[in-house]
Amino acid sequence: MPFWHRIVIAVVVFALVSLAARFVDWWLARRPLPPEAATRYRVLRRTISVSIVVVGLLSALLVIPQVRALAGGLLASSAVLAVIIGLAAQRTLGNFVAGLLIAITQPIRLGDRVSYAGEEGVIEEIGLTYTFIRTQDQARLVVPNEKLASDTIRNSTIRSREAFAEITMQVPLSADLGAAVEGLREEVAAERDAAVYVSSLDGNAVLTVRAAATSEDTAQELERELRVRAHGRLRALGIWG
């Protein structure tokens, strides 16, 4: 068989395997799952897809006699090769194993609200080697899985997915705090588990308004709405000119 025939066969085999990996990933992604299962499923999808592509690439290359001969020599020294690859990719393999452990033990899940390294955000993606945290300013904190698995992380939604919208406002100490609190309570009376209280009297009085939300994204949207509503109510009460 001409050499270029073998090249064409190798390309076709790899293309078919790549399509198969995409199809398997699409098929696995169709199922609606709860957060705890979705986290495991996402990592499982990535692992299966990468495994299919790697096996397909090796199968395609083995069609070429020169590569097959080289593979035989490599297999003869597989122990040495395994040690070399293990040392070279120690950090990458560590991140991969840590990603699998995170998916199994689930100290964090997709959509969890967490605090890590002084930053607060939402777990947006758990990859094979890195985890992406979406911060409040819509930036992305990219953390290696190995580091995330060994460091301390604060998870606010590990027991419950319910989130809270919370805003604070400063008013002068000379203002009628009772009227301000009562007015804000009336403003948020329709919200679920709403609470209004004076959280500080240091310099100025700080009023805190909290209300429950179904998700982190809903909580952020409610916070933006509450700021406008609270400002209007305090102006109507004459507390802010």
Side-chain angles (χ1 to χ4, degrees):
M1 181 183 296
F3 180 75
W4 68 272
H5 282 186
R6 298 181 184 275
I7 294 294
V8 171
I9 293 174
V11 171
V12 171
V13 169
F14 183 69
L16 291 176
V17 170
S18 298
L19 289 175
R22 288 180 177 273
F23 174 78
V24 170
D25 184 71
W26 169 80
W27 183 74
L28 291 174
R30 289 191 310 161
R31 301 178 57 185
L33 298 169
E36 58 275 9
T39 303
R40 293 192 184 100
Y41 223 57
R42 185 77 63 90
V43 176
L44 176 64
R45 280 171 47 201
R46 298 282 174 80
T47 304
I48 291 175
S49 297
V50 171
S51 300
I52 292 175
V53 171
V54 170
V55 171
L57 177 61
L58 293 176
S59 301
L61 291 177
L62 289 177
V63 174
I64 305 172
Q66 291 83 348
V67 176
R68 189 162 56 243
L70 178 61
L74 292 176
L75 289 175
S77 58
S78 58
V80 177
L81 181 64
V83 172
I84 295 175
I85 293 177
L87 292 175
Q90 184 177 8
R91 184 61 58 86
T92 301
L93 292 175
N95 285 325
F96 175 74
V97 172
L100 294 179
L101 291 176
I102 289 173
I104 294 171
T105 60
Q106 295 200 344
I108 56 174
R109 302 164 300 177
L110 296 174
D112 275 348
R113 186 176 188 176
V114 300
S115 177
Y116 178 77
E119 295 280 354
E120 290 192 2
V122 177
I123 300 296
E124 183 178 58
E125 183 74 27
I126 300 177
L128 294 179
T129 54
Y130 292 93
T131 292
F132 295 82
I133 303 175
R134 186 179 75 245
T135 59
Q136 294 179 341
D137 59 356
Q138 299 304 309
R140 299 300 186 271
L141 192 64
V142 184
V143 186
N145 287 337
E146 187 177 25
K147 187 173 180 61
L148 195 64
S150 59
D151 287 351
T152 301
I153 184 169
R154 182 175 180 267
N155 191 331
S156 302
T157 53
I158 189 65
R159 295 299 181 187
S160 173
R161 303 293 295 186
E162 187 176 56
F164 282 90
E166 181 176 298
I167 63 171
T168 58
M169 296 146 293
Q170 293 189 11
V171 299
L173 291 175
S174 58
D176 188 344
L177 296 183
V181 170
E182 187 62 30
L184 291 175
R185 283 175 179 167
E186 293 177 0
E187 184 66 35
V188 298
E191 304 296 339
R192 187 162 52 92
D193 296 333
V196 180
Y197 54 91
V198 180
S199 55
S200 176
L201 292 173
D202 186 12
N204 287 315
V206 178
L207 305 181
T208 298
V209 179
R210 281 171 57 92
T214 56
S215 67
E216 180 60 29
D217 290 337
T218 305
Q220 292 181 3
E221 183 178 348
L222 182 57
E223 285 178 357
R224 292 190 287 268
E225 179 186 335
L226 288 177
R227 290 188 185 97
V228 177
R229 290 165 55 185
H231 178 267
R233 178 56 68 106
L234 292 179
R235 280 181 62 89
L237 292 172
I239 294 176
W240 284 344

